[in-house]
Amino acid sequence: MRVGVLGLQGDFREHLTVLRSLGVDARDVRTKEQLQELDGLIIPGGESTTIAYLLEKMGMLSALRERGAQGFPIYGTCAGMILLARELNDPYPENRIGLMDITVKRNAYGRQLDSFEVDLQIKHIGEFHAVFIRAPKIVRVGSEVEILAEHDGVPVLVRQKNLLASSFHPELTGDPRVHKYFLEMVARG
Ligand code: GLN
């Protein structure tokens, strides 16, 4: 199984480390051609406007939209989740992959709470220590979206068929179980 991590900007190295610790052939992906060789892709946290700009510039945005719509597994963390969201309560980034039926508000957890850590209860996984950094908030989920975890009644880990998205950063805490969950999605194709 070959899984890519979008390496245009953001904390992609941490995702590669987690995937490699699980014995996965993990690749740092920066071109449209590299996308063809993958069984799944992680889009890391970072700055969603920057990642969206670079994705478009590299011709990868439409490629990802097409592949994602055909069942290619994509997991977006934080900024990656913003890129997957169909609707945004923010004018930017205008151009996104936009395949997941959720509405997301950027930087919505408040200035004084820019970053925080909580223990979540995740469906199929159990208790999970989660780190939020200037996290986007999911303010609406469509009927096809399964909520896998909530914090204060707000969804923070959601799945829609081949798409997975989290407001938090599972790559930062050394606990690989969310990545393992995504790898099972990839394995089932
Ligand atoms: N605030 C960032 C954005 O809007 C996301 C933060 C993150 O990825 N940690 O792109």
Side-chain angles (χ1 to χ4, degrees), residues 150-187:
E150 290 182 338
H151 169 55
D152 277 348
V154 176
V156 291
L157 177 65
V158 293
R159 175 175 178 180
Q160 179 182 323
K161 294 183 195 141
N162 54 309
L163 308 172
L164 185 69
S166 64
S167 309
F168 60 92
H169 290 268
E171 74 283 9
L172 296 181
T173 39
D175 183 339
R177 289 177 297 161
V178 176
H179 289 80
K180 272 192 186 160
Y181 179 85
F182 178 62
L183 293 175
E184 278 169 32
M185 287 170 55
V186 176

Side-chain angles (χ1 to χ4, degrees), residues 4 36 51-52 111 141 156 172:
Q36 304 308 320
I51 300 176
R111 268 176 200 275
V141 295
V156 291
L172 296 181

Side-chain angles (χ1 to χ4, degrees), residues 44-49 77-79 82 106-107 133-136 169:
E47 191 50 48
S48 55
T49 48
T77 59
C78 209
I82 294 170
R106 289 178 63 201
N107 304 315
I133 303 169
R134 293 186 302 122
H169 290 268

